[in-house]
Amino acid sequence: PARALLLLARLRAAEGRDGEAADLFDRALEAAPDDRDVLFWSAGAAPTRAAAIERLEEYLERSAGDDPDRIQGARDNIRVFRALGEKPVWVPVARPERAEIPLRPIADGEGGVAGYCMEATLGGDRKVRLLLDTGATGLFLVERMARRGGFQPLGGMTVFAGGGEGREQETRGLVPSFALGPLRFADALATATSKEIEPTGRYHGVLGLAPLRGYRIGFDLARSRLVLEPPSEPAEGQPYWVVEGQMLVEAETSDGQRGLFLLDTGAVRSIVSDDVVRASPRRLATKPATMRIYGSPARTARAVVGLEMEFAGLTSRGRPLLAADLSSRGRLGGVEVAGFVGLDLLQGSRLVVDTAAQRIAVSSPR
């Protein structure tokens, strides 16, 4: 059945098995060429941008009554794909076998760390500080810094904030050259925003892991270093899945609930979804708290008392978790997200992400 093939195709894509995923999407299309869900999700595995546009246009013809945000996303992608044509992006110019990149900790004002920054170069000579954010889907830049780096606009995109709220109309385009330490790329695809990404100006952009795919990435948070090496054989650690750019790992709460959590070095505090709080067999207390999400001012959230999170041997050790409505994120990505694994859990650890095998290993600070 087409829906079974579609589900398996999406799973294979999340596992990084792109060839198998493409074959399964093609079989699903053959079985149900008019199924709008098959058309929408298979566009991401199309062999060319022209084929992706064709599938998305056929989806739009059948989209009446579907999720309006999904419809808008399809229109945005068509616009950018047309502007790009078949031009390759993130073209490697210099890609050494091994590289070590300094990370600069950002103090949170309470004796902890609010994130880690790296220095990148745009357009050959423009320096910019970027937040290393495993929860980001690519490169995001403050508009004025993007322009100074030679940013070439392609079209508008609707960007959703961390909780799936705070929709912003921003601009997708190309930065002619991008360098991170010894790594250099041509035609880096980026999103430019007119809003300040960080209110105090400590950094002016955000970078996810997508450009580093193919490396074994070591996050040494104790030494503030990012180490890039060839993939290991055999790979160690537990699997992770990538769904619509989200890096998802399996974690557990102290009341026995297991689920997929976004591994997010851009989140200062770990988060659980409202659904996890409601489903808890315990009587959990909550109190008002503040949460800041990308592209939006701080907003009211809830701190959950009496619930802990555990991931790869790391625990929240009694620190309150934040609770937020993540239903929009799940709806847009097509997978339920139970929460975010943030820096409060990861602080001082060493993470090794093998992007070839899609496995992650964590060494405890102890």
Side-chain angles (χ1 to χ4, degrees):
R3 290 302 178 98
L5 290 165
L6 175 62
L7 181 62
L8 186 57
R10 296 198 64 213
L11 175 60
R12 291 291 177 260
E15 293 171 336
R17 296 159 66 173
D18 297 335
E20 292 179 51
D23 290 342
L24 287 161
F25 277 126
D26 287 344
R27 288 174 58 192
L29 276 171
E30 186 178 351
D34 297 325
D35 188 311
R36 70 184 184 190
D37 285 345
V38 173
L39 288 164
F40 179 83
W41 292 112
S42 69
T48 63
R49 293 196 185 102
I53 290 171
E54 183 179 350
R55 294 178 189 184
L56 289 173
E57 286 179 334
E58 290 185 21
Y59 158 76
L60 289 175
E61 291 176 4
R62 300 160 175 80
S63 64
D66 200 10
D67 189 305
D69 291 329
R70 182 185 292 184
I71 295 171
Q72 184 60 48
R75 289 176 177 148
D76 290 344
N77 280 326
I78 288 173
R79 188 181 308 114
V80 172
F81 289 169
R82 280 186 175 144
L84 276 173
E86 302 302 332
K87 182 182 181 70
V89 297
W90 286 102
V91 180
V93 175
R95 190 178 174 88
E97 187 173 87
R98 188 184 188 280
E100 193 165 326
I101 299 164
L103 299 175
R104 180 182 299 175
I106 303 171
D108 65 358
E110 300 176 359
V113 177
Y116 291 87
C117 280
M118 308 172 292
E119 187 175 81
T121 305
L122 308 178
D125 59 359
R126 178 62 60 178
K127 302 292 185 182
V128 60
R129 289 188 301 276
L130 303 177
L131 179 72
L132 175 62
D133 186 358
T134 57
T137 55
L139 174 62
F140 293 81
L141 295 166
V142 173
E143 197 171 74
R144 68 178 186 279
M145 298 301 292
R147 284 199 306 268
R148 292 171 190 170
F151 182 74
Q152 301 162 2
L154 294 171
M157 291 288 289
T158 303
V159 175
F160 298 86
E165 302 175 0
R167 295 161 181 77
E168 299 291 342
Q169 193 65 26
E170 298 174 355
T171 306
R172 208 80 184 272
L174 294 175
V175 176
S177 67
F178 176 90
L180 184 65
L183 276 75
R184 289 189 292 125
F185 299 89
D187 293 322
L189 188 63
T191 302
T193 173
S194 58
K195 291 191 173 185
E196 288 299 321
I197 292 177
E198 205 286 317
T200 62
R202 291 181 291 183
Y203 52 88
H204 299 98
V206 173
L207 181 68
L209 298 186
L212 307 179
R213 189 172 181 182
Y215 278 112
R216 181 174 176 264
I217 307 170
F219 299 82
D220 193 337
L221 301 185
R223 294 176 54 243
S224 300
R225 312 295 288 179
L226 186 72
V227 181
L228 308 178
E229 298 176 304
S232 62
E233 287 290 345
E236 298 179 352
Q238 64 187 64
Y240 69 85
W241 299 266
V242 179
V243 180
E244 295 298 288
Q246 303 173 107
M247 184 178 177
L248 303 177
V249 296
E250 191 173 29
E252 185 174 5
T253 53
S254 54
D255 59 1
Q257 298 187 69
R258 297 187 69 83
L260 293 176
F261 287 71
L262 178 68
L263 186 74
D264 192 358
T265 58
V268 179
R269 295 177 62 184
S270 295
I271 301 170
V272 292
S273 70
D274 286 343
D275 289 341
V276 167
V277 175
R278 283 191 291 265
S280 177
R282 300 179 182 175
R283 208 176 192 117
L284 300 175
T286 62
K287 57 183 180 181
T290 299
M291 181 173 72
R292 185 178 297 280
I293 54 180
Y294 165 71
S296 299
R299 65 181 176 90
T300 302
R302 294 182 299 149
V304 183
V305 180
L307 190 67
E308 294 188 10
M309 184 188 298
E310 189 275 333
F311 164 65
L314 305 176
T315 66
S316 51
R317 298 191 294 278
R319 293 185 297 267
L321 302 171
L322 292 178
D325 180 4
L326 302 181
S327 58
S328 295
R329 176 176 282 271
R331 174 174 53 81
L332 291 167
V335 62
E336 183 178 0
V337 178
F340 294 5
V341 175
L343 277 179
D344 54 346
L345 212 71
L346 304 172
Q347 188 56 49
S349 303
R350 186 171 189 272
L351 286 70
V352 177
V353 178
D354 191 325
T355 59
Q358 285 202 192
R359 301 189 76 85
I360 179 168
V362 180
S363 300
S364 165
R366 296 182 293 279

